[in-house]
Amino acid sequence: MTITVESTHMEHQQRKWTDYFTFCTDHKVIGIQYLVTSFAFYFIGGAFAEVIRTELATADPDFVTPALYNQFMTMHGTIMIFLWIVPAGAAFANYLIPLMIGADDMAFPTLNAVAFWLTPPGGILLLLSFFVDGGAAQSGWTSYPPLSLISGVWGQEIWILSVLLVGTSSILGAINFVTTIFKMRIEGMDLHSMPLFCWSMLATSALILLSTPVLAAALVLLSFDLIAGTSFFNPTGGGDPVVYQHMFWFYSHPAVYIMILPFFGVISDVLPVHARKPIFGYRAIAYSSLAISFLGLIVWAHHMFTSGTPGWLRIFFMAATMLIAVPTGIKIFSWCATIWGGKLNLNTAMCFGVGFIATFLVGGLTGVMLSSVTFDIHVHDTYFVVGHFHYVLFGGAAMGLFAGFYHWFPKMTGRMINETLGRAHFILLFIGLNITFLPMHELGLLGMNRRIALYDIQFQPLNQICTLGAYILALSSLPFVINMFVSLTKGEKASRNPWRAFTLEWQTSSPPAIENFDEEPVLWAGPYDYGTDSEGVDAEESVEDILAEVGANSK
């Protein structure tokens, strides 16, 4: 268990609301800035998704033009990946890592602020591209040439610049996370006594540092092809568009794990608290994150089974992709074993945590199916892939994000959430998610191609079900937004440790003071020692009471 001395005769100094609109180097402010910014883009990207699903409710392109549909489709994917999920993971990492390891701030506070302030300009540029000549990029979030070279130069060029800005932000953040975790842990905290969220961010940061520069290189070369007339990827000039695919997917498959690994860590920290049980297989979960990070770098070409990949190379990438299911399965079994027989508190955070396991499991199983060359060729570029992708990243990352959001909301704001509105949010989101994305697997098996506005009339009934689900998903945001406003203004004041958790962030005030801790916290037990003798010590007791109890026990 972890305890920190809290002064009883001095007020904690808190940030002013104006600090959140400035170049502030406090990691907690930056974490909130990332979180609010990412949710702003979540609503924008979600609005684009509603336009897409409204168009697809009928077989004919009768809601928006095909060109505008392509722009919305491209912007939706780009925003949800680069401006929502990735920055949301960075938000939790920025806010929690220093608190979890007992540090006052990040290793490089100014660099941390720079990393954040690269993200809003990238997003604003992306949205402004709708107003340039030719409109926004129309080639999908993958921007494959030669399509990306002929579908509008300036919109595509702005898309490249936007992704480069956000990618640079990710690299700077990853440098900070790794350095902070390795160099700023308090005395007595080794790698095996820090929370699993920190392990997940180590694995995520390694992927970012190794793969993002490759994407940046691909986009710079694509930019040269667009505006300088070179032929790196342009087949009419002797270029090879398949090389772009290799460079793009060397980043963009690891990007799936960059998006999901932080929320693997979130789930590993949420479930034990609300099940009141120690995490099952701490080291297995920690090392499986590193295994996913390594294997994620050698599976990229499974996206290219139909791109002329030689048979022997297909076999390698198929085997590597199937192998990555092993460390992921270790996590699933460990989480299930953690909650099995626990004293479950089915509050909103726990509901989202359990929902994460259920929905991510579906995405994982269909991922194993897609790793098979023969099956992948059959459903490649169909809605089966869309359904799989969204079960992984919306059913997985979004569920994990909301689990973490509701879990740490009292720590970030000093207020408790409204559980009724929180559960309503979960129920609507869970129902809408499954109604939207489950029928897409059947659409893909029947042969409906993705990324098109015009389709065969036989697919219309299933598409209408998907569109109904999308509207329910949109509705789920209503109790979420209401809850945030109600809880922030009228919510019950949160104590220092309302969940009786053992990790260090719960041993300071809610919200934390500017310097995080009044005095350096002290490790008393592991971060997940629920149900052990350590839990007999109430985290809300004063240090003097605990010392007295320890002294009495020693006698």
Side-chain angles (χ1 to χ4, degrees):
M1 183 179 164
T2 53
I3 301 295
T4 182
V5 178
E6 182 173 347
S7 173
T8 58
H9 58 270
M10 65 176 291
E11 293 292 329
H12 285 291
Q13 186 179 0
Q14 301 292 345
R15 290 288 180 186
K16 303 188 296 290
W17 68 270
T18 53
D19 292 337
Y20 294 89
F21 296 90
T22 63
F23 188 90
C24 181
T25 58
D26 185 340
H27 73 97
K28 300 181 293 299
V29 172
I30 294 171
I32 297 296
Q33 288 174 326
Y34 265 115
L35 196 61
V36 173
T37 301
S38 68
F39 269 109
F41 284 110
Y42 167 67
F43 292 123
I44 295 171
F48 291 164
E50 298 303 317
V51 173
I52 293 169
R53 286 312 321 170
T54 301
E55 173 56 59
L56 292 173
T58 60
D60 296 321
D62 50 9
F63 185 67
V64 293
T65 65
L68 193 57
Y69 174 89
N70 290 340
Q71 293 177 40
F72 280 125
M73 180 266 297
T74 301
M75 292 298 107
H76 165 70
T78 305
I79 287 171
M80 295 306 244
I81 291 170
F82 295 107
L83 292 165
W84 177 45
I85 289 292
V86 173
F92 283 104
N94 270 284
Y95 198 96
L96 294 173
I97 286 176
L99 290 169
M100 283 182 163
I101 65 174
D104 291 336
D105 208 320
M106 284 288 187
F108 310 113
T110 302
L111 190 69
N112 202 24
V114 170
F116 165 73
W117 284 104
L118 290 174
T119 301
I124 293 169
L125 272 175
L126 199 65
L127 296 176
L128 290 177
S129 66
F130 278 102
F131 304 102
V132 300
D133 185 30
Q138 301 182 39
S139 53
W141 79 277
T142 56
S143 289
Y144 277 2
L147 179 61
S148 56
L149 299 175
I150 62 174
S151 59
V153 173
W154 294 114
Q156 190 66 54
E157 188 63 32
I158 292 173
W159 181 93
I160 291 172
L161 179 58
S162 174
V163 174
L164 286 174
L165 285 171
V166 177
T168 303
S169 170
S170 293
I171 291 173
L172 298 181
I175 293 170
N176 233 334
F177 301 148
V178 171
T179 307
T180 302
I181 291 172
F182 277 120
K183 295 295 185 181
M184 300 186 67
R185 300 190 308 275
I186 63 168
E187 184 179 355
M189 179 182 282
D190 61 16
L191 291 176
H192 294 120
S193 59
M194 66 182 185
L196 286 165
F197 179 76
C198 298
W199 279 96
S200 72
M201 287 311 304
L202 281 178
T204 303
S205 299
L207 280 174
I208 291 171
L209 293 174
L210 291 170
S211 63
T212 308
V214 179
L215 174 67
L219 295 182
V220 169
L221 296 178
L222 182 65
S223 181
F224 286 160
D225 282 3
L226 273 168
I227 62 177
T230 57
S231 297
F232 293 105
F233 308 127
N234 191 342
T236 61
D240 189 350
V242 175
V243 173
Y244 174 88
Q245 293 187 32
H246 279 288
M247 298 179 72
F248 177 85
W249 286 116
F250 186 79
Y251 165 81
S252 293
H253 188 81
V256 174
Y257 304 111
I258 290 170
M259 288 181 270
I260 197 69
L261 273 170
F263 302 108
F264 283 172
V266 166
I267 294 301
S268 297
D269 275 320
V270 168
L271 294 182
V273 176
H274 301 289
R276 305 313 298 176
K277 276 187 64 182
I279 192 76
F280 184 90
Y282 173 96
R283 295 198 179 199
I285 294 176
Y287 294 149
S288 66
S289 294
L290 301 183
I292 290 171
S293 182
F294 169 73
L295 292 171
L297 290 168
I298 59 172
V299 299
W300 75 89
H302 70 219
H303 294 274
M304 301 169 57
F305 284 157
T306 62
S307 297
T309 306
W312 65 269
L313 197 56
R314 285 175 172 176
I315 293 173
F316 169 80
F317 282 107
M318 178 176 68
T321 305
M322 290 181 174
L323 185 61
I324 207 169
V326 174
T328 308
I330 288 172
K331 291 182 181 293
I332 295 289
F333 283 114
S334 295
W335 293 326
C336 290
T338 298
I339 62 177
W340 182 267
K343 299 176 181 178
L344 303 187
N345 176 17
L346 288 177
N347 56 20
T348 305
M350 189 62 168
C351 288
F352 274 104
V354 175
F356 166 90
I357 296 175
T359 52
F360 181 79
L361 183 61
V362 174
L365 291 174
T366 54
V368 173
M369 295 169 66
L370 287 168
S371 68
S372 171
V373 173
T374 51
F375 183 79
D376 182 85
I377 290 173
H378 175 64
V379 299
H380 184 79
D381 213 23
T382 70
Y383 263 84
F384 190 96
V385 179
V386 178
H388 155 73
F389 186 74
H390 282 83
Y391 262 98
V392 170
L393 288 182
F394 198 85
M399 282 283 187
L401 189 161
F402 285 119
F405 182 87
Y406 284 109
H407 179 72
W408 282 293
F409 183 85
K411 179 56 58 179
M412 294 179 177
T413 65
R415 300 277 184 173
M416 302 299 291
I417 64 154
N418 183 299
E419 290 290 345
T420 301
L421 287 170
R423 291 190 183 98
H425 177 208
F426 167 73
I427 291 169
L428 287 172
L429 190 144
F430 188 79
I431 292 172
L433 183 155
N434 285 284
I435 293 176
T436 303
F437 302 118
L438 193 60
M440 291 183 182
H441 297 88
E442 178 69 11
L443 284 170
L445 291 172
L446 293 173
M448 180 176 171
N449 288 337
R450 58 180 173 171
R451 300 182 180 178
I452 56 172
L454 176 65
Y455 58 84
D456 194 293
I457 190 67
Q458 66 171 314
F459 303 131
Q460 183 166 299
L462 284 174
N463 271 292
Q464 290 175 335
I465 294 173
C466 294
T467 299
L468 172 63
Y471 292 159
I472 296 174
L473 276 179
L475 183 63
S476 73
S477 295
L478 186 60
F480 170 69
V481 173
I482 294 173
N483 199 356
M484 293 311 99
F485 281 107
V486 170
S487 298
L488 283 172
T489 56
K490 299 179 181 179
E492 177 188 349
K493 288 190 176 181
S495 64
R496 181 180 59 180
N497 190 3
W499 309 131
R500 295 184 297 121
F502 284 0
T503 46
L504 280 173
E505 76 274 16
W506 296 104
Q507 309 311 320
T508 184
S509 59
S510 298
I514 291 177
E515 298 298 329
N516 291 349
F517 301 95
D518 290 328
E519 295 184 13
E520 184 174 321
V522 179
L523 291 173
W524 289 78
Y528 309 110
D529 285 351
Y530 307 104
T532 66
D533 291 341
S534 300
E535 195 172 8
V537 180
D538 188 349
E540 294 293 340
E541 291 178 349
S542 68
V543 172
E544 291 77 13
D545 292 339
I546 293 169
L547 290 174
E549 182 177 341
V550 171
N553 290 338
S554 66
K555 295 178 182 178

